[in-house]
C-alpha cells in the first residue's frame, strides 16, 4: 500500500483480528452491613457492623488451538467493628490446563490453593460442642482424562488429591477422590452414569464411640 494512512489502518486491522491468547478481568467490590451473630454463639449472639472487600482476578486462554487455560484468584475480607472476632478472610488461587488431541483424548491438570480464616459451627462434623475461628490451608491437585467414543459416547476419569492443614483443635487430613463417568450426548445435553470414591484418613483423630467420646489407640478414616 502506497498510502501511509491505509497501511497503518491495515496493520491495525490485522492486529485486532488476532485477539490475545490470554484475556484478563479484574474486579473490586466494597460494601458494608451488619451481622447479627458474628461468633455463631447459641447463647449470646453478638451483633456487629462490618466492612467487606473483595478482589477477583480471572484470566482465560483462547482455545482456538485446542488448548484451554484458566487462572483465577480471589480474596474476600470482612472486618467487624464491635466484636471479639475482628475479621474473617477467605482466599482462592486456581489454575487449569486442558489439551484436546486429534486421537480423541482430552487431558487436563488442575492445581488449587484455598486459605480460610472464619468462624464455623463444627458441632456436627467435628463433634466439637461450639463454634470456633477456623484457620486452615487446602492444597489440591487433579488429573483428568476423557476419551471420546463412537456414537457420541465418552468416558471420563478424574483423580483429585488434597491436603488440609488446620490450626488446632481440628485435625489435619488427606483426601483422595477418584471418579469414573460414562456418558452419551443427546443433542446439546448428555446423560451419564458415574461412580466416585472418597478416602479421608486423619493424621491424629481417633474413632468416636457410641456416646461421642474417642476410642484410644484408633485412627479415624472416612
Amino acid at each position: 500500500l502506497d498510502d501511509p494512512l491505509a497501511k497503518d489502518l491495515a496493520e491495525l486491522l490485522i492486529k485486532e483480528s488476532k485477539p490475545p491468547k490470554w484475556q484478563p478481568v479484574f474486579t473490586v467490590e466494597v460494601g458494608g452491613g451488619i451481622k447479627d451473630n458474628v461468633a455463631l454463639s447459641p447463647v449470646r449472639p453478638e451483633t456487629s457492623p462490618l466492612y467487606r472487600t473483595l478482589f477477583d482476578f480471572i484470566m482465560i486462554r483462547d482455545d482456538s488451538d485446542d488448548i484451554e487455560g484458566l487462572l483465577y484468584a480471589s480474596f474476600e475480607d470482612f472486618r467487624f467493628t464491635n466484636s471479639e472476632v475482628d475479621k474473617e478472610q477467605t482466599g482462592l488461587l486456581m489454575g487449569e490446563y486442558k489439551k484436546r488431541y486429534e486421537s480423541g483424548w482430552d487431558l487436563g491438570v488442575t492445581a488449587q490453593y484455598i486459605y480460610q480464616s472464619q468462624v464455623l459451627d463444627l458441632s456436627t462434623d467435628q463433634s466439637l460442642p461450639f463454634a470456633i475461628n477456623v484457620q486452615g490451608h487446602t492444597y489440591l491437585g487433579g488429573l483428568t482424562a476423557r476419551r471420546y467414543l463412537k456414537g457420541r459416547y465418552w468416558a471420563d476419569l478424574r483423580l483429585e488429591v488434597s491436603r488440609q492443614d488446620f490450626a488446632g483443635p481440628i485435625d489435619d487430613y488427606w483426601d483422595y477422590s477418584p471418579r469414573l463417568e460414562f456418558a452419551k450426548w443427546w443433542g446439546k445435553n448428555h446423560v451419564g452414569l458415574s461412580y466416585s470414591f472418597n478416602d479421608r484418613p486423619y493424621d491424629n483423630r481417633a474413632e468416636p464411640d457410641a456416646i461421642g467420646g474417642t476410642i484410644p489407640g484408633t485412627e479415624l478414616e472416612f
Side-chain angles (χ1 to χ4, degrees), residues 56-68:
D56 263 343
F57 174 79
I58 184 169
M59 182 177 286
I60 301 176
R61 188 185 188 278
D62 173 31
D63 63 350
S64 58
D65 56 355
D66 293 332
I67 298 178
E68 297 180 19

Side-chain angles (χ1 to χ4, degrees), residues 1 3-18:
L1 297 175
D3 188 348
L5 182 59
K7 184 177 180 181
D8 293 341
L9 180 59
E11 292 178 353
L12 180 61
L13 291 174
I14 292 174
K15 291 180 179 179
E16 291 183 349
S17 65
K18 296 180 180 180

Side-chain angles (χ1 to χ4, degrees), residues 74-134:
S74 177
F75 184 77
E76 188 173 29
D77 180 87
F78 289 91
R79 300 283 171 162
F80 303 99
T81 62
N82 187 29
S83 171
E84 294 181 358
V85 180
D86 61 340
K87 64 181 178 180
E88 289 186 328
Q89 296 176 325
T90 55
L92 170 64
L93 181 61
M94 180 179 68
E96 291 184 353
Y97 175 88
K98 182 186 291 186
K99 169 68 175 176
R100 293 191 297 268
Y101 295 89
E102 294 182 357
S103 59
W105 283 95
D106 282 0
L107 301 179
V109 60
T110 302
Q112 184 171 292
Y113 166 74
I114 301 174
Y115 170 73
Q116 179 182 26
S117 176
Q118 59 186 139
V119 177
L120 297 178
D121 184 0
L122 301 176
S123 57
T124 56
D125 183 55
Q126 300 287 340
S127 298
L128 299 172
F130 46 79
I132 61 174
N133 192 346
V134 175

Side-chain angles (χ1 to χ4, degrees), residues 16 28 32 52 57 75 79 85 96 137-138 140 186 204 213:
E16 291 183 349
V28 179
R52 172 183 176 267
F57 174 79
F75 184 77
R79 300 283 171 162
V85 180
E96 291 184 353
H137 306 268
T138 302
L140 183 145
W186 295 90
N204 302 294

Side-chain angles (χ1 to χ4, degrees), residues 209-220:
D209 58 22
I211 60 175
T214 57
I215 305 175
T218 63
E219 294 181 355
L220 183 63

Side-chain angles (χ1 to χ4, degrees), residues 33-38 46-50 79-83 85:
I34 296 176
K35 190 170 184 178
D36 60 1
N37 191 358
V38 179
E46 188 179 56
T47 302
S48 173
L50 63 88
R79 300 283 171 162
F80 303 99
T81 62
N82 187 29
S83 171
V85 180

